[in-house]
Amino acid sequence: MSWFKRSKKSLKATAPKKNMPDGLWQKCQYCGEILYIKELEKALWVCSKCGYHFMIGTDQYIEILCDSGTFEETHTGIRSVDPLEFKDVKKYSDRLKQSMSKTGREDAVITGFAKLSGRDVVIAIMDFSFMGGSMGSVVGEKIARAMNDATKYRRPLIIVSRSGGARMQESILSLMQMAKTAAMLAKMSEERIPYISVLTNPTTGGVTASYGSLGDVIIAEPRALIGFAGPRVIKQTIGQELPDGFQRSEFLLEHGMIDMICPRDGLRDRIGDLLEFFCVAVAATPSEADKNEGESSAVS
Amino acid sequence: MKANQFLDFEKPIIELEDKITELNRAAAVQNVPVDDEVKRLTEKARKLRSEIYSKLTAWQYVQLARHPLRPYTIDYIREISDDFVELRGDRAFADDPSIVGGLISIGDKRCMIIGHQKGRNTKENIHRNFGMPHPEGYRKALRLMKLAEKFRRPIVTLIDTPGAYPGIGAEERGQAEAIARNLREMAALRVPTVSVVIGEGGSGGALALGVSNRILMLEYSIYSVISPEGCAAILWQDPAKNRDAAEALHLTPKHLVSLGVVDRIVKEPEVGAHRDLSAMAAELKRAIYEELNYLGHVDEAALIESRREKYMKIGFFTEDSP
């Protein structure tokens, strides 16, 4: 009987324990490889062994996407007022204060003007470390204003999303930010302003179910968790294990929900190429396009 | 009345009503004069009811919104008109029975009506998936809205769902995309749109039918970013805290009006929508008709612009002066 013949694999620790001096080495959360932080930084926090994309900060995305020194933050000084005086085991106002002091930000998104591969753009980058990147009144308002800027100045919009979804502590007001941002996108769409949605790990709930999924082109980072419902909720609802790779970027690509998967180091060039394609078409009516033909400075 | 057809806090009222019924029956058989007693008890029941309903907790609103006898979309459709023609399918994958839609006359107005549909019993609920749509449900809804727009007919949506279904197939077929697209497309519809929360307004699954010129709520309905149970499980890490969560979420119609989200509350009959369908349906029809009548005079561009403005204004924050 094969039962008895099956050789027993000896138990072993998933990764050998190594003593790591603080701040020099980082273990890959996916493959367990020990990586030298200086090298990891150079590789934009992508594991050299397995390609795992570490979660990175908002400032790092600015560096990765924007031409050096071109980012100018907009719509600062907007903060939540805890409109429902929400309190669970902790007060929302305390959670906000904590997140502000931890991240040094006012809420879970920053917006700004920048250049990307030489082109003027409007960019919004969500911050997962601020209350799970959740969207309340402030995030919705700032995203909507960024969309308004893009429309007003006729610049393409790029949003880097990572979010647990709508912020429960602002209840219905958070839900309505989905409608607010989607309504602005309807206007942007009419005005033919290109919008590139970049989905990073993790993007779920109300952000995926609004502007996250409405990009003219949708790009995801490799292996990012992207979905409507969180995997835990789905597992509880259907009472079975979820298939391997479920709700990861590769799964979404296979099911037709995103256009492409792009590693971090290729993001700026890829977005630049896409904008090149869209913006030339946007900027001009056919007669203007004829006129512009041959002119070298066909930048937006 | 069967025990599973009323809520705990309704019990004293139900008992009084049963007594009145009993008295009337006895009077009919034995020819005893009971008029005074019936009158007294009826008045007592009315007082008791208004006392109970005037002090409802947020959780009791949740219970009423989910009441097993609460009228659903099809119940209202049948009461509103007998000319309803159901249209089905998303033309891409399937017909989702948790959303129904079709053509209907509301008074002299030819409309598209679309709503979530729950089941009344287990068998129906399996068919209707407890009113929790898959992406094909939202895509059907959008197809019908676009159809209405093409022929310049106003759109009415009735909202009553615990939420969009969280399942493998739903994710594979793009639940998030289906909802997101509806939000964007509804925002830009060139015809008048009126939404009414008739029971449970469950998060994105509700909003996907609810980006409209006018948002109405029945008096004992709820609308929230997450169910109280879900909220309790995540924030309190204790599902038993659903009452606290219901309170904290500000999910009753009055709260939602004060937050600037809901435009109008439609009063329910004294006994609640669940105990007087025809009175409720008549009131609902009247409210929808009024809204459509008003919106019928607004031109296309203003309809879109005012709808967008309405959503742009929602939210509370402080802003440093520059």
Side-chain angles (χ1 to χ4, degrees):
Chain A
M1 283 291 293
S2 55
W3 281 6
F4 301 103
K5 279 183 190 162
R6 187 180 291 170
S7 62
K8 204 171 168 185
K9 278 182 191 149
S10 60
L11 292 171
K12 57 179 181 194
T14 45
K17 260 202 175 162
K18 290 179 190 170
N19 283 326
M20 294 184 284
D22 275 352
L24 275 182
W25 301 90
Q26 172 78 43
K27 189 168 145 182
C28 173
Q29 287 148 339
Y30 190 65
C31 73
E33 181 77 356
I34 306 295
L35 303 157
Y36 188 43
I37 283 190
K38 280 194 176 154
E39 290 296 317
L40 198 51
E41 270 169 4
K42 256 189 236 158
L44 307 177
W45 292 85
V46 174
C47 173
S48 55
K49 192 179 170 203
C50 72
Y52 177 79
H53 283 52
F54 284 74
M55 240 192 245
I56 55 171
T58 305
D59 292 333
Q60 284 159 306
Y61 274 110
I62 294 177
E63 258 170 56
I64 289 170
L65 291 174
C66 306
D67 298 350
S68 176
T70 61
F71 180 80
E72 286 171 54
E73 193 173 351
T74 52
H75 311 303
T76 55
I78 304 179
R79 287 178 298 274
S80 174
V81 289
D82 185 12
L84 309 182
E85 297 180 357
F86 195 98
K87 182 174 175 280
D88 45 84
V89 287
K90 223 185 212 174
K91 279 188 188 162
Y92 174 39
S93 52
D94 289 345
R95 285 185 196 268
L96 281 169
K97 271 182 222 150
Q98 261 179 7
S99 281
M100 284 180 192
S101 64
K102 186 178 87 179
T103 62
R105 304 207 180 279
E106 292 163 328
D107 213 304
V109 72
I110 62 163
T111 58
F113 291 114
K115 281 189 189 288
L116 185 150
S117 300
R119 184 184 303 278
D120 284 319
V121 297
V122 173
I123 188 164
I125 303 169
M126 301 192 72
D127 192 335
F128 195 78
S129 57
F130 195 108
M131 292 191 73
S134 56
M135 172 165 63
S137 299
V138 175
V139 171
E141 179 69 18
K142 288 178 82 165
I143 294 273
R145 288 191 191 187
M147 290 167 175
N148 197 44
D149 292 340
T151 313
K152 194 168 149 195
Y153 300 107
R154 299 201 66 82
R155 293 182 183 184
L157 173 70
I158 295 131
I159 301 181
V160 179
S161 293
R162 46 231 174 103
S163 168
R167 187 174 294 168
M168 281 176 281
Q169 290 87 346
E170 291 187 33
S171 195
I172 197 78
L173 298 169
S174 303
L175 188 70
M176 292 300 148
Q177 304 310 310
M178 296 166 63
K180 182 196 263 186
T181 52
M184 269 310 295
L185 281 177
K187 190 174 180 183
M188 264 182 65
S189 196
E190 276 160 34
E191 300 277 342
R192 300 182 305 139
I193 306 297
Y195 162 40
I196 312 290
S197 173
V198 181
L199 304 177
T200 70
N201 188 39
T203 308
T204 58
V207 168
T208 329
S210 60
Y211 55 86
S213 296
L214 293 173
D216 292 312
V217 174
I218 305 178
I219 306 175
E221 280 193 347
R223 275 199 65 81
L225 178 80
I226 301 160
F228 173 65
R232 212 169 14 155
V233 174
I234 299 175
K235 210 166 126 182
Q236 267 170 17
T237 307
I238 63 173
Q240 42 179 315
E241 288 300 314
L242 300 174
D244 213 28
F246 181 63
Q247 293 183 309
R248 296 286 166 179
S249 306
E250 297 71 15
F251 171 94
L252 271 89
L253 185 68
E254 189 191 332
H255 286 91
M257 297 304 151
I258 56 176
D259 291 286
M260 63 189 81
I261 295 172
C262 183
R264 218 167 257 166
D265 62 1
L267 266 181
R268 186 196 322 204
D269 288 348
R270 181 44 64 82
I271 295 173
D273 291 349
L274 288 168
L275 295 183
E276 184 69 25
F277 182 85
F278 288 121
C279 291
V280 171
V282 165
T285 58
S287 58
E288 283 167 331
D290 289 344
K291 212 167 53 188
N292 287 346
E293 204 119 339
E295 283 178 30
S296 57
S297 60
V299 195
S300 73
Chain B
M1 192 169 281
K2 282 187 214 155
N4 63 359
Q5 293 186 337
F6 59 85
L7 307 168
D8 281 352
F9 66 86
E10 289 184 291
K11 204 174 166 194
I13 310 169
I14 304 285
E15 280 171 359
L16 267 177
E17 285 174 347
D18 284 350
K19 212 161 155 187
I20 295 166
T21 317
E22 196 51 44
L23 267 176
N24 279 330
R25 192 183 302 147
V29 178
Q30 295 162 356
N31 203 18
V32 229
V34 292
D35 286 2
D36 285 354
E37 182 65 1
V38 166
K39 211 174 149 193
R40 194 182 65 81
L41 287 178
T42 309
E43 183 57 21
K44 195 176 165 190
R46 202 189 60 76
K47 268 193 183 151
L48 185 64
R49 188 182 303 115
S50 79
E51 200 188 307
I52 291 172
Y53 275 69
S54 67
K55 289 189 292 201
L56 291 175
T57 63
W59 178 248
Q60 285 171 329
Y61 270 87
V62 176
Q63 288 179 297
L64 280 171
R66 297 173 180 166
H67 198 291
L69 294 178
R70 194 153 178 97
Y72 301 143
T73 292
I74 291 177
D75 300 317
Y76 288 122
I77 285 176
R78 285 197 184 121
E79 291 283 322
I80 287 171
S81 171
D82 55 11
D83 69 352
F84 176 67
V85 180
E86 187 174 3
L87 302 174
R88 296 175 56 172
D90 70 345
R91 300 293 189 272
F93 181 77
D95 180 53
D96 185 343
S98 59
I99 289 181
V100 296
L103 312 166
I104 196 170
S105 302
I106 299 180
D108 56 4
K109 304 201 183 301
R110 300 273 172 93
C111 311
M112 182 68 77
I113 193 165
I114 302 163
H116 298 97
Q117 181 64 39
K118 294 178 175 177
R120 194 61 70 190
N121 51 45
T122 308
K123 194 179 156 200
E124 272 182 35
N125 261 323
I126 289 167
H127 178 57
R128 304 284 182 189
N129 199 32
F130 297 85
M132 292 189 282
H134 281 77
E136 46 273 21
Y138 294 115
R139 289 178 181 136
K140 166 169 75 177
L142 184 59
R143 181 177 78 82
L144 299 187
M145 291 186 225
K146 289 286 186 186
L147 182 62
E149 182 182 46
K150 181 171 166 185
F151 294 100
R152 298 293 184 268
R153 296 287 174 238
I155 299 165
V156 176
T157 65
L158 303 181
I159 292 169
D160 188 18
T161 180
Y165 187 67
I168 292 178
E171 295 288 328
E172 284 174 336
R173 299 195 290 278
Q175 187 74 287
E177 193 275 345
I179 294 171
R181 180 185 295 259
N182 277 22
L183 305 183
R184 185 185 65 196
E185 298 299 314
M186 283 191 86
L189 286 169
R190 286 181 289 176
V191 293
T193 51
V194 175
S195 294
V196 191
V197 184
I198 57 170
E200 257 184 298
S203 197
L207 186 65
L209 295 188
V211 181
S212 299
N213 289 102
R214 299 283 291 169
I215 314 292
L216 283 56
M217 283 181 86
L218 299 193
E219 195 177 358
Y220 303 118
S221 63
I222 57 165
Y223 201 175
S224 170
V225 70
I226 187 170
S227 69
E229 291 89 340
C231 183
I234 296 171
L235 290 182
W236 276 264
Q237 309 216 318
D238 177 4
K241 295 285 186 195
N242 49 14
R243 283 167 177 76
D244 296 330
E247 236 25 271
L249 284 168
H250 286 59
L251 40 63
T252 70
K254 276 183 195 152
H255 280 128
L256 296 166
V257 168
S258 71
L259 292 171
V261 172
V262 168
D263 301 302
R264 173 176 179 171
I265 299 173
V266 183
K267 230 175 148 30
E268 298 199 12
E270 242 183 23
V271 288
H274 56 291
R275 314 240 352 247
D276 194 345
L277 169 63
S278 65
M280 183 72 255
E283 185 60 23
L284 175 63
K285 183 175 174 178
R286 201 175 64 81
I288 294 172
Y289 187 85
E290 278 177 13
E291 298 296 346
L292 291 178
N293 220 14
Y294 165 73
L295 293 171
H297 300 294
V298 182
D299 73 59
E300 227 176 79
L303 275 178
I304 298 172
E305 195 50 38
S306 63
R307 195 186 299 134
R308 179 159 45 228
E309 277 307 306
K310 168 195 167 80
Y311 286 95
M312 290 308 290
K313 273 191 260 163
I314 299 179
F316 291 87
F317 48 83
T318 68
E319 185 168 11
D320 299 344
S321 41

